[in-house]
């Protein structure tokens, strides 16, 4: 029997205490569903999606501000594709565009620089949403704008960091009913590649929960799930993705981020404002900020249970609107819009989760 077969056999026949494993990375969510991993697990092993999709955790106040900026004379808003279809309290950026708003979809923030040089009288604003993985890209954009003397480049930031919100989730987890408690975390491979996994060690110890840094292939994910089942009840952090992740992450990336951004409070969809879980531009770079402060309100469409999905309280399929009123063509919440969203992935693949 190969090691892979042993792992599959163990996970398929596991009959110990119920295990509830949360992933906090949108790419893990998508990969778990695409590879059909839940169908390989014993009914005693449950996989739960957490707040790992950056678009899904963005509050409507932030979208409203982007819409407002896109409709203001003399400004253009740039965003990645997923964000365009997420509704604020009234409109999405796509709808704002059809109302005459200036909105451009880009594949990389650097694309904005070409427009900023070509249209010097326009303020070019990038919708800077994301976790530790994408923050360095925004840092590069601002450094390059500064180098080229482009004062018409700005960010509207809604940047979040993972360890703080994971600690918050662990506190909430202590209040959860026994059959809803998370027993371990798949630590986010991409985030840890940039920022390392050292910050999860005190959390694991404080809450006596295992964390395993996981890669993205089916085999790497299965190995990490196997590890979390074996390590349940232990406050440990293990790195099962050493090909890309070290304890301290990428020092150059960390330094670039720290130079430009400092920790701040962040508003999370469904969770409210959680102290110290965001990143904001430092005062020295305030001229590149398009007015990111104070965007905290969240208007949720009637019946949408995104908050419960992001907290791991319910699966996407338990939302009464899932697949009926809410589909990728007619999304009621951000979790059905983003390709990293739990609802989107479960709708696409039809895998019970
Ligand atoms: Fe919200 Fe739609 Fe997901 Fe329900 S299925 S939680 S309405 S995004």
């Amino acid at each position: 029997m190969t090691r892979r077969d042993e792992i599959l056999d163990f996970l398929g026949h596991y009959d110990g205490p119920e295990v509830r494993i949360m992933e906090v990375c949108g790419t893990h969510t998508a990969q778990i569903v695409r590879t059909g991993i839940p169908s390989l697990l014993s009914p005693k092993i449950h996989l739960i999606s957490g707040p790992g999709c950056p678009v899904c955790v963005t509050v409507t106040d932030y979208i409203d501000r982007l819409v407002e900026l896109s409709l203001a004379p003399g400004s253009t808003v740039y965003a990645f594709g997923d964000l365009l279809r997420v509704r604020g309290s009234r409109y999405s950026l796509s709808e704002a565009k059809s109302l005459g708003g200036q909105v451009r979809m880009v594949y990389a923030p650097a694309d904005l620089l070409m427009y900023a040089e070509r249209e010097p009288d326009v303020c070019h604003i990038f919708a800077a949403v994301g976790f530790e993985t994408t923050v360095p890209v925004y840092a590069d954009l601002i450094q390059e704008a500064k180098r080229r003397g482009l004062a018409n480049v700005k960010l509207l930031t809604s940047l979040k960091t993972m360890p703080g919100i994971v600690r918050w989730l662990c506190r909430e987890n202590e209040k959860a009913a026994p059959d809803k408690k998370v027993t371990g975390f798949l630590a986010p491979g991409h985030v840890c590649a940039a920022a390392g996994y050292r910050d999860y060690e005190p959390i694991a110890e404080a809450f006596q929960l295992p964390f395993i840094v996981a890669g993205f292939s089916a085999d790497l994910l299965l190995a990490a799930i196997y590890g979390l089942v074996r390590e349940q009840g232990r406050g440990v952090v293990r790195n099962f993705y050493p090909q890309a992740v070290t304890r301290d992450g990428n020092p150059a990336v960390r330094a670039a981020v720290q130079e430009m951004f400092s920790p701040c409070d962040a508003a999370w969809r469904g969770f409210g404002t959680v102290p110290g879980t965001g990143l904001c531009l430092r005062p020295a770079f305030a001229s590149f900020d398009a007015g990111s402060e104070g965007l905290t309100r969240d208007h949720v469409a009637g019946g949408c249970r995104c908050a419960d999905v992001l907290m791991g309280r319910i699966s996407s399929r338990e939302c009464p609107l899932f697949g009926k009123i809410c589909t990728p063509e007619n999304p009621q919440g951000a979790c059905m819009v983003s390709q990293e969203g739990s609802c989107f992935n479960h709708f696409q693949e039809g895998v019970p989760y």
Side-chain angles (χ1 to χ4, degrees):
M1 211 185 225
T2 65
R3 180 72 180 140
R4 185 176 193 274
D5 291 339
E6 276 173 25
I7 288 174
L8 282 172
D9 186 57
F10 175 86
L11 293 176
H13 296 98
Y14 172 77
D15 195 27
E18 299 265 336
V19 177
R20 290 171 60 81
I21 295 168
M22 177 177 274
E23 89 268 355
V24 286
C25 165
T27 311
H28 279 161
T29 303
Q31 278 296 91
I32 285 168
V33 176
R34 274 186 210 130
T35 52
I37 284 176
S39 65
L40 304 174
L41 307 179
S42 125
K44 294 228 169 164
I45 303 173
H46 308 274
L47 301 182
I48 308 153
S49 294
C53 155
V55 169
C56 305
V57 295
T58 300
V59 295
T60 52
D61 232 7
Y62 177 81
I63 306 288
D64 288 347
R65 179 79 179 125
L66 290 173
V67 166
E68 199 181 298
L69 288 167
S70 77
L71 292 165
S75 60
T76 298
V77 169
Y78 297 74
F80 295 130
D82 274 5
L83 196 66
L84 297 183
R85 294 181 61 226
V86 178
R87 273 233 166 121
S89 60
R90 285 187 73 193
Y91 301 119
S92 64
L93 280 172
S94 289
E95 289 165 330
K97 190 171 182 176
S98 63
L99 293 170
Q102 295 301 309
V103 179
R104 286 183 179 133
M105 189 191 90
V106 287
Y107 294 99
D111 296 347
L112 172 154
L113 295 170
M114 176 190 72
Y115 291 107
E117 282 179 329
R118 206 185 277 170
E119 301 162 4
D121 298 330
V122 174
C123 183
H124 301 265
I125 301 155
F126 200 90
V129 167
F131 294 113
E132 289 94 325
T133 327
T134 37
V135 178
V137 179
Y138 303 128
D140 280 354
L141 173 71
I142 294 304
Q143 289 292 12
E144 186 58 19
K146 204 174 164 202
R147 195 185 67 77
R148 296 191 200 180
L150 294 169
N152 58 340
V153 171
K154 298 195 187 297
L155 301 179
L156 191 75
T157 59
S158 180
L159 300 170
K160 298 181 170 70
T161 50
M162 201 41 88
I165 201 65
V166 168
R167 181 178 280 279
W168 183 86
L169 282 167
C170 288
R171 277 197 212 105
E172 292 296 307
N173 192 45
E174 300 217 306
K175 304 174 208 160
D179 64 333
K180 293 287 182 190
K181 279 193 196 300
V182 171
T183 59
F185 285 87
L186 281 171
H190 288 146
V191 164
C192 291
Y197 59 83
R198 178 196 284 265
D199 291 343
Y200 300 96
E201 290 170 351
I203 304 173
E205 195 181 343
F207 296 94
Q208 285 300 295
L209 289 169
F211 285 70
I212 292 189
V213 184
F216 297 92
S217 68
D219 284 350
L220 290 176
L221 282 163
L222 285 164
I225 293 165
Y226 171 81
L228 287 167
V229 176
R230 302 293 281 203
E231 298 277 22
Q232 57 187 301
R234 300 187 62 210
V236 294
V237 179
R238 307 264 185 244
N239 181 13
F240 280 24
Y241 194 30
Q243 307 90 317
V245 174
T246 61
R247 184 166 181 250
D248 291 318
N250 183 322
V253 165
R254 287 180 77 128
V257 169
Q258 274 167 19
E259 182 191 346
M260 196 167 295
F261 297 96
S262 57
C264 60
D265 298 348
W268 295 72
R269 166 158 293 192
F271 303 176
T273 297
V274 183
T277 58
L279 287 173
C280 295
L281 283 163
R282 289 188 182 276
F285 295 91
S287 62
F288 292 101
D289 192 331
S292 311
E293 223 180 292
L295 303 175
T296 57
R297 280 173 306 164
D298 200 23
H299 170 89
V300 178
C304 176
R305 304 276 307 272
C306 261
D308 289 328
V309 170
L310 294 167
M311 288 275 282
R313 288 184 184 134
I314 64 167
S315 71
S316 295
R317 289 169 179 278
E318 288 176 84
C319 170
L321 308 188
F322 180 88
K324 300 180 184 107
I325 293 164
C326 185
T327 63
E329 289 70 41
N330 184 31
Q332 301 299 301
C335 305
M336 188 59 93
V337 175
S338 171
Q339 295 195 7
E340 295 191 341
S342 173
C343 302
F344 174 88
N345 279 289
H346 292 109
F347 183 89
Q348 293 292 338
E349 300 300 319
V351 176
Y353 198 34

